[in-house]
């Protein structure tokens, strides 16, 4: 059933495959994708998937990233005369899927572009030329003939406000674009081996979908009204064929857990303006690492009542600077200002969009209203880098921790005293974990560290879900475990237990050298081990990170490891 053709140009290739009756996928394989978006934390590149459905009329579902222009248009022309395409279905307008819409319109001037109302509005700004359009609502159908009756499922915020899914009644394929995707690039068209891709699937969910968990649940509910779904044809990574029920169930379970959170933070951004979308995503990811839910709202398309209601039910608010006065987004900002109250905590970030409203006037207006400023305003003076996204994520975590602190303390106190003391007899060593990935580095003090295997040599570390370094301890990531020396551990311990501001350099004033895996070795540590994360097990509040050990050295063979004796079990 699958016929592969691959073309190579640098490390960009394309793959075409017949995936079902009269249905072809055109996959753009981006093997070495740089890690510039937060959800690209793992090592595996990505793909942009596009589809042709041939009934009596022909539909093209999504296009590709503009870096694939020549390669994509070549394979498209091999498959079909573009002038014969009747419909171009836009699942959402983010440039990695819609980057070649203009090119397709040039080759198929009579094509009708099909999309949600918001998607069509976005496209108008994006393509700057007239085009035929058909705006669809949830449940609308489009009959291509030969049984290919398409049904549209509007799924806003997954992960842009304009998103919709398309279901083909004949093949029972659901085309979902970003939802159910993962950034994973290899030549397998399908999810043949669940275990090789599940870590990437989870990480992508955490970054893009968790901040919209309630929207995920709404989309799943709408999907439930469809007849059977045989295959989920995502826009990124392998198409999901072999484990559809399992993947859907994971989205449901994870989203139910996130949506249950008692506290909510509203994140107001503008999806197509500057870097607002990317920065807000990093902030949202930081918040969701704590036990706080996020709801994201695009200021450009939100109606005032929706803004007001969201502010009303949120304990915290993160808001982007927006294009200067007089615009629709400014009106929405005014609605936010009118609705906040002094018990709320807020954070502001610059969108780096060119003509942003400056941060300070907005900050002062919030100050005048008596709200708590959760983190220093994030000023973005250049194109955001990995360090900017790290800063945003840490700022989001700070806000989440601020809002959930009382509950966390309450939970700690509620342990039975005998049990607490008994548990407190479990002790461990004292270690500093250090990690560097690209230009981003982090560190933390840990004592929940344990050797876990001989062959290969392996150990586990329990890392709280809201630790900054948690993002650098994904499967495939490398780090150093620094073992502290008894009698010589206090100053390092004190240093790394400081409360660091978002984005702060945790190594300032500490002597380090670089390990072979790139992470810092603390010169004053007793020994160090170079490790690579192999798998992660989830508990309610920690990730148990299992890692193999590649190399290590001891600086003083006779010295002892610093030990941490505790009194109670509900603290480290
Ligand atoms: C003695 C001691 C041991 C700790 N062990 C761990 C641990 O094993 N895992 C963990 O996630 N946090 C542990 N912590 C907490 C973190 O070290 C500390 O909260 C962290 O450095 C703060 O970093 P953050 O800014 O990323 O939250 C420990 C704290 C202390 C005082």
């Amino acid at each position: 059933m699958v016929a592969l053709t691959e073309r190579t140009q640098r490390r960009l290739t394309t793959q075409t495959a017949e995936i079902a009756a009269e249905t072809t996928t055109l996959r753009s394989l981006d093997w070495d994708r740089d890690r510039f978006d937060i959800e690209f934390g793992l090592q595996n590149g990505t793909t942009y998937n596009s589809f042709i459905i041939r009934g009596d009329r022909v539909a093209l579902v999504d296009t590709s990233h503009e870096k694939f222009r020549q390669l994509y248009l070549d394979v498209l022309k091999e498959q079909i005369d573009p002038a014969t395409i009747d419909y171009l279905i836009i699942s959402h307008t983010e440039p990695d899927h819609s980057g070649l819409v203009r090119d397709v319109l040039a080759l198929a001037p009579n094509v009708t572009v099909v999309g949600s109302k918001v998607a069509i509005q976005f496209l108008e700004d994006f393509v700057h030329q007239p085009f035929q359009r058909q705006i669809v609502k949830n449940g609308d159908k489009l009959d291509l003939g030969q049984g290919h009756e398409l049904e549209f499922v509007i799924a806003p915020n997954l992960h842009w406000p304009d998103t919709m899914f398309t279901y083909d009644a004949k093949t029972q394929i659901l085309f979902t674009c970003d939802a159910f995707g993962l950034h994973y690039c290899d030549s397998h068209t399908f999810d043949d081996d669940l275990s090789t891709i599940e870590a990437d699937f989870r990480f992508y969910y955490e970054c893009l979908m968790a901040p919209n968990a309630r929207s995920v649940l709404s989309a799943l509910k709408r999907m439930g009204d469809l007849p059977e779904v045989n295959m989920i044809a995502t826009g990124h990574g392998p198409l999901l064929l072999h484990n559809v029920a399992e993947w859907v169930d994971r989205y449901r379970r994870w989203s139910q857990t996130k949506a249950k959170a008692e506290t909510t933070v509203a994140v107001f951004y503008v999806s197509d303006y500057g870097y607002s979308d990317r920065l807000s995503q990093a902030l949202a990811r930081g918040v969701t690492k704590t036990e706080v839910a996020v709801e994201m709202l695009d200021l450009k398309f939100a109606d005032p009542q929706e803004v007001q209601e969201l502010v009303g039910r949120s304990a915290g608010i993160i808001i982007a600077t927006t294009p200067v006065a007089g615009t629709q987004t400014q009106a929405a900002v005014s609605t936010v200002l009118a609705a906040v109250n002094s018990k709320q905590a807020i954070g502001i970030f610059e969108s780096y969009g060119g003509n942003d409203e400056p941060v300070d006037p907005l900050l002062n207006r919030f100050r005048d209203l008596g709200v708590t400023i959760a983190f220093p305003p994030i000023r973005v003076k250049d194109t955001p880098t990995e360090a900017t996204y790290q800063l945003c994520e840490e700022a989001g975590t700070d806000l989440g921790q601020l809002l959930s602190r009382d509950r966390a303390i309450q939970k700690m106190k509620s342990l039975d005293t005998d049990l607490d003391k008994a548990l407190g007899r479990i002790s461990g060593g004292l270690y500093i974990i250090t990690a560097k990935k690209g230009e981003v580095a982090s560190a933390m003090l840990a004592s929940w560290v344990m050797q876990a295997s001989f062959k290969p040599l392996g150990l586990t570390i329990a890392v709280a879900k809201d630790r900054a370094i948690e993002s650098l301890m994904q499967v495939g990531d490398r780090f150093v475990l620094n073992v502290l020396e008894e009698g010589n551990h206090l100053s390092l311990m004190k240093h790394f237990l400081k409360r660091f501001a978002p984005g702060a350099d945790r190594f300032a004033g500490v002597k380090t050298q670089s390990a072979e895996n790139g992470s810092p070795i603390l010169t004053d540590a007793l020994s160090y081990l170079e490790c690579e994360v192999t798998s992660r097990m989830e508990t309610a509040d920690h990730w148990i990170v299992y890692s193999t050990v590649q190399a290590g050295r001891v600086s003083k063979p006779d010295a002892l490891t610093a030990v941490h004796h505790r009194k109670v079990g509900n603290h480290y």
Side-chain angles (χ1 to χ4, degrees):
M1 158 177 165
V2 177
L4 301 182
T5 58
E6 289 202 12
R7 303 161 168 272
T8 311
Q9 183 195 317
R10 281 166 282 138
R11 291 275 289 170
L12 303 181
T13 65
T14 55
Q15 180 194 70
T16 61
E18 294 303 314
I19 56 167
E22 297 98 36
T23 309
T24 308
T25 182
L26 314 180
R27 301 176 74 227
S28 301
L29 278 63
D30 189 349
W31 296 87
D32 306 316
R33 167 124 193 188
D34 299 334
R35 182 178 174 264
F36 65 82
D37 291 335
I38 57 155
E39 80 271 15
F40 284 86
L42 306 194
Q43 325 292 325
N44 303 309
T46 195
T47 76
Y48 315 99
N49 306 330
S50 162
F51 306 90
I52 302 171
I53 309 169
R54 301 164 214 251
D56 297 325
R57 286 161 296 283
V58 176
L60 180 66
V61 181
D62 297 320
T63 65
S64 184
H65 195 291
E66 62 175 3
K67 67 166 111 170
F68 279 87
R69 176 166 287 118
Q70 201 54 51
L71 284 167
Y72 176 82
L73 295 175
D74 284 352
V75 283
L76 179 67
K77 285 183 205 156
E78 264 169 25
Q79 291 296 322
I80 198 164
D81 171 4
T84 64
I85 300 172
D86 299 283
Y87 298 101
L88 171 55
I89 296 173
I90 299 294
S91 306
H92 91 146
T93 50
E94 212 181 355
D96 51 349
H97 306 283
S98 298
L100 300 176
V101 166
R102 247 184 305 217
D103 303 75
V104 171
L105 287 177
L107 294 169
N110 296 322
V111 77
T112 299
V113 178
V114 181
S116 67
K117 189 171 165 219
V118 183
I120 299 294
Q121 266 172 281
F122 274 152
L123 264 193
E124 279 172 349
D125 294 344
F126 183 58
V127 299
H128 299 298
Q129 70 182 73
F131 57 87
Q132 294 176 54
R133 78 272 315 270
Q134 184 173 337
I135 292 175
V136 290
K137 296 192 298 301
N138 191 57
D140 281 0
K141 292 186 174 163
L142 174 66
D143 195 354
L144 300 180
Q146 304 208 23
H148 293 283
E149 185 178 66
L150 306 183
E151 180 172 344
F152 302 102
V153 177
I154 302 295
N157 306 324
L158 306 184
H159 85 276
W160 268 21
D162 57 352
T163 308
M164 70 173 192
F165 302 163
T166 303
Y167 178 72
D168 183 338
K170 180 167 183 179
T171 57
Q172 301 190 317
I173 298 178
L174 184 67
F175 301 89
T176 57
C177 204
D178 277 357
F180 300 102
L182 58 148
H183 292 308
Y184 192 90
C185 184
D186 76 357
S187 52
H188 289 88
T189 307
F190 299 107
D191 56 336
D192 302 329
D193 182 2
L194 182 142
S195 64
T196 57
I197 58 172
E198 62 183 346
D200 297 75
F201 184 80
R202 176 66 190 262
F203 187 68
Y204 180 101
Y205 171 89
E206 288 293 332
C207 294
L208 290 193
M209 300 295 149
N212 297 299
R214 291 186 178 129
S215 302
V216 173
L217 292 174
S218 308
L220 290 176
K221 196 151 172 267
R222 288 181 169 176
M223 273 169 64
D225 296 336
L226 297 171
E228 187 126 343
V229 174
N230 239 334
M231 184 195 306
I232 296 183
T234 67
H236 292 296
L239 313 183
L240 310 181
L241 172 65
H242 301 298
N243 311 284
V244 172
E246 176 63 28
W247 298 126
V248 172
D249 187 52
R250 289 187 190 193
Y251 257 46
R252 178 170 295 114
R253 275 191 283 118
W254 297 333
S255 301
Q256 280 168 342
T257 308
K258 302 272 177 203
K260 260 199 315 233
E262 287 165 33
T263 311
T264 298
V265 167
V267 178
F268 293 103
Y269 71 111
V270 189
S271 53
D272 65 343
Y273 175 69
Y275 287 84
S276 188
D277 168 51
R278 297 286 170 219
L279 297 164
S280 66
Q281 235 174 58
L283 281 150
R285 158 129 176 90
V287 176
T288 54
K289 283 173 77 171
T290 67
E291 282 177 20
V292 171
V294 167
E295 285 191 45
M296 302 187 72
L297 204 57
D298 187 338
L299 287 164
K300 193 164 161 188
F301 293 99
D303 74 55
Q305 198 177 340
E306 203 181 354
V307 174
Q308 213 169 12
E309 279 170 12
L310 180 54
V311 172
R313 65 172 178 272
S314 301
I317 289 154
I318 295 177
I319 186 162
T321 55
T322 56
V324 284
T327 60
Q328 215 174 334
T329 53
Q330 278 296 320
V333 173
S334 303
T335 310
V336 174
L337 281 160
V340 293
N341 68 61
S342 60
K343 291 206 187 87
Q344 290 168 319
I346 70 123
I348 302 178
F349 68 101
E350 251 171 12
S351 300
Y352 194 58
N355 56 350
D356 291 355
E357 184 89 334
V359 162
D360 292 309
L362 189 59
L363 181 68
N364 290 337
R365 287 164 79 186
F366 278 112
R367 273 213 181 101
D368 292 345
L369 293 166
V371 298
T372 306
I373 310 294
F375 52 79
I378 297 172
R379 298 170 199 272
V380 184
K381 298 292 166 225
D382 286 303
T383 308
T385 61
E386 289 177 358
T388 324
Y389 293 119
Q390 181 191 25
L391 187 157
C392 288
E393 186 178 307
E394 291 181 16
T397 301
D398 276 7
L399 173 57
Q401 287 173 341
L402 177 78
L403 298 174
S404 52
R405 200 161 41 200
D406 291 350
R407 219 176 28 249
I409 292 170
Q410 202 58 41
K411 257 193 204 165
M412 278 183 175
K413 283 186 180 151
S414 63
L415 215 62
D416 167 89
T417 40
D418 278 346
L419 170 57
D420 198 12
K421 283 182 192 151
L423 201 58
R425 291 302 177 272
I426 297 179
S427 46
L430 282 168
Y431 311 89
I432 308 287
I433 320 283
T434 53
K436 185 162 193 293
K437 189 168 170 182
E439 59 182 78
V440 172
S442 195
M444 79 158 188
L445 174 77
S447 59
W448 292 9
V449 176
M450 188 58 64
Q451 183 160 349
S453 61
F454 286 130
K455 265 189 179 173
L457 286 172
L459 51 87
T460 59
I461 305 171
V463 182
K465 286 184 171 172
D466 59 346
R467 293 278 170 261
I469 203 171
E470 185 273 340
S471 302
L472 305 182
M473 297 182 77
Q474 304 293 325
V475 172
D477 285 347
R478 293 178 305 169
F479 64 90
V480 165
L481 178 73
N482 298 273
V483 181
L484 298 187
E485 181 191 349
E486 183 63 48
N488 189 21
H489 60 285
L490 286 177
S491 65
L492 281 173
M493 212 174 141
K494 209 168 137 212
H495 173 86
F496 286 102
L497 277 177
K498 273 198 299 239
R499 183 135 194 103
F500 293 98
D505 174 8
R506 297 186 179 213
F507 296 95
V510 177
K511 278 184 278 173
T512 62
Q513 60 221 63
S514 190
E516 267 175 43
N517 71 15
S519 296
I521 297 169
L522 304 182
T523 312
D524 290 337
L526 169 59
S527 76
Y528 73 87
L529 296 158
E530 298 199 30
C531 308
E532 179 172 334
V533 179
T534 315
S535 60
R536 296 173 23 126
M537 188 185 110
E538 185 170 14
T539 72
D541 41 27
H542 286 69
W543 287 103
I544 311 301
V545 179
Y546 173 73
S547 310
T548 52
V549 182
Q550 280 76 46
R553 274 190 71 171
V554 189
S555 61
K556 295 183 201 162
D558 298 327
L560 293 176
T561 302
V563 181
H564 181 53
H565 292 294
R566 306 184 299 169
K567 295 239 160 27
V568 287
N570 63 7
H571 287 292
Y572 291 108

